[in-house]
Amino acid sequence: MTDDPNSADLENAGVRELAEIPAVEVITRSAVMLMSAAAEKLGLSSDCPDESPYRDLDEARRLITALAGLVTASAEYLGPHAGPVRDGLKTLQLAFREASASPDEPGQGPGEKFTGPVWS
């Protein structure tokens, strides 16, 4: 905590602002953040993903699994956003399988315990 009297006002402003955001927007923003982070960990932002310094398949697996759980648990609330979010998840799951030296069996890949097997 700081002695600055304005710091409490800033904290309260942040809480009020967050409280005004609809749940579907918070869920969608969270999904987009997880998608972006997973894409980075798969090296997809690089011209050559195999050589990306950010590639980390273990981290990508965790992010994709978290995304799958979020999407599965909140699909009924996403309305028109559900389809594109699911498509993004499937794309990441397939990219993970393609990037793996020894791909998981269908149904064993990241997030597939929530989504079921993903086929190309």
Side-chain angles (χ1 to χ4, degrees):
M1 245 13 223
T2 175
D3 292 332
D4 181 0
N6 293 325
S7 70
D9 290 340
L10 289 175
E11 277 185 42
N12 289 336
V15 170
R16 280 194 302 271
E17 184 178 306
L18 188 57
E20 293 171 4
I21 299 172
V24 68
E25 188 173 337
V26 173
I27 295 166
T28 304
R29 285 183 187 185
S30 299
V32 169
M33 180 177 281
L34 288 166
M35 281 185 206
S36 298
E40 286 292 336
K41 296 297 184 179
L42 288 170
L44 299 179
S45 65
S46 177
D47 289 337
C48 184
D50 291 335
E51 296 175 14
S52 172
Y54 304 111
R55 187 171 217 178
D56 184 333
L57 296 183
D58 188 48
E59 289 284 304
R61 176 183 295 276
R62 293 172 188 179
L63 292 162
I64 295 167
T65 299
L67 174 62
L70 175 65
V71 170
T72 302
S74 60
E76 68 182 287
Y77 308 117
L78 294 176
H81 303 286
V85 172
R86 280 193 193 123
D87 291 345
L89 170 58
K90 181 179 179 182
T91 298
L92 289 168
Q93 289 172 310
L94 292 172
F96 182 91
R97 180 166 287 135
E98 188 175 302
S100 298
S102 164
D104 298 312
E105 291 294 319
Q108 301 302 307
E112 291 182 10
K113 68 181 175 183
F114 299 113
T115 65
V118 175
W119 310 97
S120 41

